[in-house]
Amino acid sequence: MMKTSFINPFSNDAKEIVRKLGNIEYLDKKDDDLVNIITHTPSQQLGIDAQIPDTLLKLALKRFEWYLYKKLEDFNEKKYEYLFNPDIYEYDVVSFYLLCQALAIVYGSQSHEVKQLIDSEKELISQRLEKIKAEPTDVQSNFLRNALNQLVDTNNLKWTQIKEVLELGQLDLNNLLLADGRVIIEFEDFIGEYGDLINNRDPMAMYQVTGGVELKATLLISLVMLHTKEYIRTVEEKTKMVEPNPLLITLAEKIRDVEDDVQEKRFSSKGSNFQNDNQPIPYNMEAFPPCVRKCMKGIKSGSRNDAIVLFLTPFIAYSRLYPGIFGLDEPIKISQVDPTLEITHNEVIPLIYEAAASCSPPLFKDQPQEKININSKLGFGMHSELKLENEGQTQWYTPMSCEKIKLHMSTLCTPNKDCKKIGNPLTYYNRKRRLLEREENNNK
């Protein structure tokens, strides 16, 4: 069975490992034991192409690299199989803390890089927990209990103690079993509260359906994500008064190199026809379709909300940040193309707000909560401020199709000759924009 520190880097064992192996002098020194674990990992791809890490710093970089590269079409999981070998747990814990410190020092706790690290930790733990699913349910449950109890008391956990966890969006309060404000996590508490109500059913089966292993795993992952955020924030504050170690700065710089490499590969893999559309490009408002132009001039009371929030917001965001979204096979987040949210704050949001102010009456004058709904449609959850730390709590909505516009907002649809055979306003925009660019080039 794997060590709990392989899943929970904030366990007592993990902290002891950091004290034992985390000496800054040894971080860039070759470690033969680390290499031995990697080379003896079942199914691990070896050779030059695998670029096996032989130092703790290189392992930290590979840990981050795995998450970014796994989004590419030609990703080979076997190059990183060692990340799921429980024998590497001690080195893995140290590499986790190296990443947290490097990103906190160089990029800050609110950075896109930190957001990626937290997401990668979620993904890494999730995949590692898949390894224990072959074990009996009681073994899985006990393992998760031990890992969780390093962070919370699973027999006495009030829902108010995990409000920040709930805000991460991994758990829903409505789906939790509560008794006097206490979250029912363990089987003995489940039986104590609901045992008398269960007739002709297997209590353990009922427990697993309403919580059980899945609840424990989700809670554990969410708590680790939350503790990671808090730890990085603490490191950022402490390092303001001390000189950072050059090794950590080097690690952070190499992470930026990996990000650039991934972006280049993602764009080039789509071919030259998509390259311009898979990155932020300046607005060409002459290419906006009639429905968008009409909406930006202002909508009268009655259909303002849907027109601005559901229709205009996705269009304005994608047309500036990622107009080629319909050529992509998977969802995307704004931070992947606008890491600092500078474009989003300075160009996208103002254009949406301008249209909202043109409505009759101005949308936010009597409907200020729609600012929160706009943030939600951009993928940043139900929050009044658009911040990186909230990204992913909701999805970045894609532009509404022409068919849906005709059905739900028919007054917006005033087609011209260019609208023929077009299924989405964003498609209209992309075609019209290229046509205008071609005409401009021909006139030069």
Side-chain angles (χ1 to χ4, degrees):
M1 199 64 176
M2 68 178 68
K3 301 286 187 180
T4 55
S5 51
F6 192 51
I7 300 295
N8 174 16
F10 297 98
S11 67
N12 294 332
D13 289 345
K15 293 173 184 176
E16 186 58 38
I17 289 169
V18 174
R19 282 191 286 269
K20 183 176 71 172
L21 297 179
N23 191 318
I24 201 75
E25 297 177 8
Y26 300 110
L27 300 183
D28 62 343
K29 299 289 190 282
K30 182 177 179 180
D31 192 304
D32 292 331
D33 290 335
L34 171 60
V35 174
N36 185 57
I37 291 172
I38 293 174
T39 55
H40 287 85
T41 296
S43 301
Q44 172 62 42
Q45 179 177 312
L46 303 174
I48 297 175
D49 189 41
Q51 298 178 328
I52 291 173
D54 56 6
T55 70
L56 281 164
L57 277 174
K58 289 179 181 178
L59 178 62
L61 182 62
K62 287 294 180 181
R63 208 177 186 275
F64 196 87
E65 179 186 287
W66 163 81
Y67 176 70
L68 295 186
Y69 281 162
K70 75 190 300 288
K71 300 176 182 178
L72 299 177
E73 292 180 1
D74 61 349
F75 176 70
N76 184 357
E77 187 85 49
K78 298 303 179 184
K79 291 183 181 180
Y80 302 89
E81 194 66 29
Y82 55 84
L83 292 176
F84 306 96
N85 182 352
D87 293 340
I88 207 173
Y89 74 99
E90 290 183 307
Y91 298 100
D92 179 75
V93 167
V94 179
S95 69
F96 166 79
Y97 280 96
L98 286 176
L99 282 172
C100 289
Q101 292 170 17
L103 298 184
I105 291 168
V106 177
Y107 302 116
S109 60
Q110 301 301 314
S111 66
H112 173 61
E113 287 76 13
V114 164
K115 179 68 168 57
Q116 287 181 318
L117 173 59
I118 294 170
D119 287 343
S120 73
E121 192 64 17
K122 171 189 172 183
E123 187 70 22
L124 201 60
I125 296 173
S126 297
Q127 287 195 215
R128 287 173 177 174
L129 287 177
E130 289 292 320
K131 300 285 186 180
I132 71 169
K133 286 190 174 180
E135 301 288 342
T137 303
D138 61 330
V139 174
Q140 296 180 51
S141 186
N142 287 333
F143 173 82
L144 292 168
R145 181 176 195 162
N146 291 334
L148 272 170
N149 278 320
Q150 297 281 337
L151 302 171
V152 294
D153 182 353
T154 54
N155 290 111
N156 296 285
L157 182 65
K158 297 284 189 180
W159 77 266
T160 52
Q161 294 174 254
I162 58 169
K163 284 202 293 187
E164 288 183 278
V165 169
L166 296 173
E167 289 174 1
L168 289 175
Q170 307 301 313
L171 286 171
D172 188 334
L173 183 62
N174 294 322
N175 295 330
L176 298 178
L177 287 177
L178 301 178
D180 298 324
R182 184 167 58 99
V183 183
I184 302 300
I185 299 172
E186 301 296 349
F187 180 64
E188 61 266 25
D189 296 320
F190 175 79
I191 292 298
E193 291 293 335
Y194 308 107
D196 294 341
L197 303 176
I198 301 174
N199 296 309
N200 303 318
R201 294 282 188 94
D202 179 2
M204 178 56 76
M206 293 290 292
Y207 165 68
Q208 293 299 340
V209 168
T210 56
V213 168
E214 290 300 323
L215 170 61
K216 286 184 177 181
T218 304
L219 178 58
L220 177 58
I221 293 169
S222 299
L223 285 168
V224 171
M225 291 171 68
L226 181 62
H227 277 69
T228 302
K229 288 178 64 176
E230 293 173 346
Y231 175 73
I232 290 173
R233 192 178 297 121
T234 300
V235 172
E236 181 183 29
E237 288 299 318
K238 288 183 178 179
T239 53
K240 288 178 179 178
M241 297 176 286
V242 296
E243 189 70 24
N245 187 285
L247 289 176
L248 296 176
I249 295 177
T250 299
L251 174 59
E253 290 172 346
K254 288 183 176 180
I255 284 172
R256 177 58 59 82
D257 291 339
V258 172
E259 286 185 303
D260 292 342
D261 184 50
V262 170
Q263 285 287 72
E264 183 179 340
K265 287 180 178 178
R266 282 183 61 240
F267 294 147
S268 62
S269 68
K270 295 296 179 181
S272 58
N273 290 335
F274 288 96
Q275 217 159 12
N276 286 339
D277 291 349
N278 286 7
Q279 56 190 323
I281 59 173
Y283 286 120
N284 185 342
M285 295 187 187
E286 286 186 47
F288 280 0
C291 52
V292 172
R293 291 172 177 267
K294 188 172 185 178
C295 188
M296 292 187 68
K297 289 179 180 178
I299 303 297
K300 292 183 179 180
S301 179
S303 56
R304 295 174 304 160
N305 304 59
D306 287 351
I308 299 298
V309 177
L310 297 179
F311 166 69
L312 189 67
T313 292
F315 175 88
I316 292 298
Y318 278 103
S319 62
R320 177 65 177 91
L321 299 172
Y322 204 101
I325 182 59
F326 295 129
L328 194 65
D329 296 328
E330 60 182 21
I332 190 173
K333 296 178 181 178
I334 282 180
S335 63
Q336 289 177 246
V337 286
D338 185 17
T340 64
L341 303 186
E342 181 178 357
I343 300 174
T344 306
H345 280 299
N346 295 336
E347 297 184 48
V348 175
I349 292 294
L351 207 55
I352 297 169
Y353 281 16
E354 182 182 329
S358 299
C359 291
S360 179
L363 179 61
F364 301 143
K365 185 174 182 179
D366 59 342
Q367 301 283 331
Q369 76 280 0
E370 292 296 8
K371 289 185 177 181
I372 295 176
N373 288 328
I374 287 170
N375 291 343
S376 173
K377 298 303 177 286
L378 294 174
F380 293 85
M382 299 295 290
H383 298 278
S384 57
E385 293 185 51
L386 197 148
K387 294 182 178 179
L388 269 174
E389 62 187 67
N390 299 324
E391 189 177 31
Q393 293 183 16
T394 50
Q395 275 200 335
W396 183 10
Y397 271 43
T398 50
M400 185 179 290
S401 69
C402 295
E403 186 178 348
K404 287 187 177 179
I405 295 169
K406 291 176 185 176
L407 185 63
H408 300 291
M409 286 174 272
S410 57
T411 56
L412 275 180
C413 189
T414 52
N416 61 16
K417 60 183 179 64
D418 293 321
C419 291
K420 292 180 179 179
K421 297 182 180 179
I422 295 291
N424 193 286
L426 187 60
T427 304
Y428 176 108
Y429 174 70
N430 289 332
R431 291 185 181 183
K432 188 71 171 179
R433 175 172 52 82
R434 293 191 193 100
L435 180 63
L436 292 173
E437 288 173 359
R438 196 177 300 121
E439 289 176 354
E440 183 179 345
N441 290 332
N442 291 337
N443 292 330
K444 286 182 179 179

